[in-house]
């Protein structure tokens, strides 16, 4: 932390009446405020289309804070102070006059604080508005101080590699790359950040972190939610774009990248880009061999019947959009040559659970291979959510007179030592206030991640012969995803089968 987050700052939220602002942004700013991280001088200029009074908007924010904030127990006095720092501005992106008013507002704040304050623009808007907003910010000279003015943007960063390049070029006309903070909220999750601490802050693991000792790696991000009211967006996206290209690729980078020389933004992001470049591109003709896609069909979850994907609101009843993807990747570098990386993600599954397993090889000696012992290979599990823990499965002697082995688990539980850890958005907003872009995505990283999946996208789009499997709501996904691993004698690991011979 550079302490830049303590500089006076005008925070401008485009889309302040939208879902993200309501559930994540305002609660995150409020929690940062309660815990003393916000600058003494800041104001959140909240832009929205509706005509409403300051009081109406602030009451709406309070309601959302009460519902979604991590910290629910706060004093009226604190809210009164925070409330004074919110300012609602009725705003029409297409009206130059709206930008004039915004300019006047931030300049007045500069005068009030007697300093040219930092400016943080949060673009929580549909991608189609980004062009207009960034041009108007430029024309109205709102974000000209490269070291002080920052822009946070939300995914989707394009629809494929070509559109991502287009978006990056467009932003580059107005902003320097160091002003652009592309958010991937998975990078703000505590145990995703912890991967680097775990790998590079301990001598014990890094020497084993390669193809000599690791047999395979699995990354699972399973959700119980379906597409809910986002059918319109999701049907044009699908699990590959919505989750694999960003969140799972970022997790892959954290697990597999080489050691950064220093813990600095450029250095870390360079290592990630290198890793993405080393991911072997899947040949169009092999897409079916390496991937499985599927859609959920109606089924029961937590005692309730849920509709199938094709029956969801906003979804084309003949849609070919996948809600589940499982795939296998290889990383062609010295460290990972020959090690399969399996990934899977899906909506409407039995359990919400994101975790990584690092599956080690069998022991190379024959000491305990005499039939008396149930030897299973070591597994390191990194639970991202809802549990936040690291578990190491290892063999021990079963207590007793004879020499029998059994697997045991060593567990580090984050919640036990820090039950109230900050939410991802709190971490990321604070980093953006601070001017630290380490956990944000650089343009080349985004483009490279699209490149990794481009042949899969094309092949699915062109209606090749790859099957659209199905799985009922509340299940663990299609059987075909199990087959993908079985071919190499592997299976998806979870708590229930981790001690089986994998
Ligand atoms: C978002 C996706 O980026 O991540 C959503 O667009 C998904 O479809 C969400 O549900 C998952 O985030 P989390 O933090 O709930 O795992």
């Amino acid at each position: 932390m550079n302490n830049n987050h303590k500089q006076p700052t005008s925070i401008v939220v485009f889309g302040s009446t939208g879902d993200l602002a309501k559930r994540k942004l305002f609660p995150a700013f409020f929690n940062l405020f309660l815990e003393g991280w916000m600058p003494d001088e800041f104001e959140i200029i909240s832009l929205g289309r509706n005509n409403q009074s300051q009081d109406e908007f602030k009451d709406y924010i309070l309601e959302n804070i009460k519902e979604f904030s991590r910290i629910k127990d706060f004093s009226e006095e604190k809210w009164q102070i925070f409330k004074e720092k919110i300012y609602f501005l009725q705003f029409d992106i297409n009206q130059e006059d709206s930008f004039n008013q915004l300019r006047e507002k931030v300049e007045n704040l500069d005068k009030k604080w007697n300093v040219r304050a930092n400016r943080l623009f949060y673009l929580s808007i549909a991608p189609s508005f980004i062009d207009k907003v960034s041009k108007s910010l430029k024309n109205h000279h709102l974000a000209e101080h490269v070291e002080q003015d920052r822009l946070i943007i939300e995914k989707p960063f394009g629809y494929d590699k070509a559109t991502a390049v287009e978006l990056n070029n467009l932003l580059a006309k107005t902003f320097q790359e160091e002003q652009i903070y592309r958010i991937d909220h998975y990078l703000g999750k505590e145990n995703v950040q912890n991967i680097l601490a775990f790998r590079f802050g301990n001598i014990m693991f890094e020497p084993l972190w390669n193809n000599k000792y690791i047999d395979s790696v699995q990354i699972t991000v399973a959700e119980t939610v379906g597409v809910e009211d986002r059918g319109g967006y999701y049907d044009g996206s699908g699990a590959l774009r919505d989750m694999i290209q960003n969140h799972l690729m970022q997790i892959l980078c954290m697990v597999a990248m080489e050691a950064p020389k220093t813990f600095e933004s450029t250095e870390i992001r360079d290592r990630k880009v290198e890793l993405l470049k080393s991911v072997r591109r899947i040949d169009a003709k092999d897409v079916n061999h390496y991937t499985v896609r599927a859609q959920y069909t109606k089924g029961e979850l937590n005692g309730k019947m849920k509709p199938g994907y094709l029956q969801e609101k906003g979804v084309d009843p003949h849609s070919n959009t996948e809600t589940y993807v499982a795939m296998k990747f290889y990383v062609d570098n010295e460290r990972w040559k020959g090690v399969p990386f399996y990934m899977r993600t899906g909506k409407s599954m039995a359990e919400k659970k994101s975790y990584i397993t690092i599956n080690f090889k069998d022991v190379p000696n024959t000491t305990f291979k005499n039939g008396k012992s149930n030897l299973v290979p070591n597994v390191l599990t990194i639970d991202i959510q809802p549990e936040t823990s690291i578990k190491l499965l290892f063999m021990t002697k079963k207590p007793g007179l004879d020499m029998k082995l059994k697997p045991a688990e060593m567990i580090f539980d984050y919640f036990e030592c820090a039950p109230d850890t900050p939410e991802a958005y709190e971490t990321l907003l604070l980093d953006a206030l601070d001017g630290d872009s380490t956990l944000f995505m650089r343009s080349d990283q985004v483009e490279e991640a699209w490149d990794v999946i481009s042949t899969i996208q094309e092949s699915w789009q062109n209606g090749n012969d790859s099957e659209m499997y199905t799985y009922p709501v509340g299940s663990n996904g299609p059987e075909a995803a199990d087959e993908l691993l079985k071919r190499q004698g592997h299976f998806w690991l979870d708590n229930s089968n981790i001690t089986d011979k994998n």
Side-chain angles (χ1 to χ4, degrees), residues 57-72:
F57 183 73
K58 290 175 190 191
D59 288 347
Y60 160 80
I61 295 297
L62 179 60
E63 257 172 55
N64 296 328
I65 284 178
K66 283 185 181 156
E67 187 173 353
F68 299 111
S69 171
R70 170 173 63 88
I71 305 173
K72 293 209 162 53

Side-chain angles (χ1 to χ4, degrees), residues 24 155 185-186 189 221 223 225 230 233-234 242-243 246-247 347 352 354 385:
K24 300 286 181 192
K155 75 177 224 314
H185 74 284
Y186 265 65
K189 292 188 190 273
V221 177
E223 299 187 87
V225 287
R230 298 164 76 220
Y233 151 76
Y234 195 87
D242 186 51
M243 298 295 287
N246 39 73
H247 306 322
K347 294 221 176 275
K352 178 173 171 82
S354 304
Q385 64 184 23

Side-chain angles (χ1 to χ4, degrees), residues 440-485:
F440 293 82
M441 296 197 290
R442 213 168 53 188
S443 56
D444 51 351
Q445 231 175 308
V446 171
E447 290 169 18
E448 213 54 56
W450 279 117
D451 196 69
V452 169
I453 60 159
S454 62
T455 49
I456 308 168
Q457 275 186 300
E458 280 157 26
S459 150
W460 288 355
Q461 233 158 266
N462 297 342
N464 78 345
D465 58 350
S466 67
E467 187 148 355
M468 178 66 78
Y469 295 94
T470 56
Y471 60 103
V473 169
S475 68
N476 284 323
E479 270 175 29
D482 300 335
E483 296 300 320
L484 184 75
L485 274 68

Side-chain angles (χ1 to χ4, degrees), residues 88 90 290 379 388:
F88 180 74
Q90 193 188 0
Y290 285 97
V379 179
T388 319

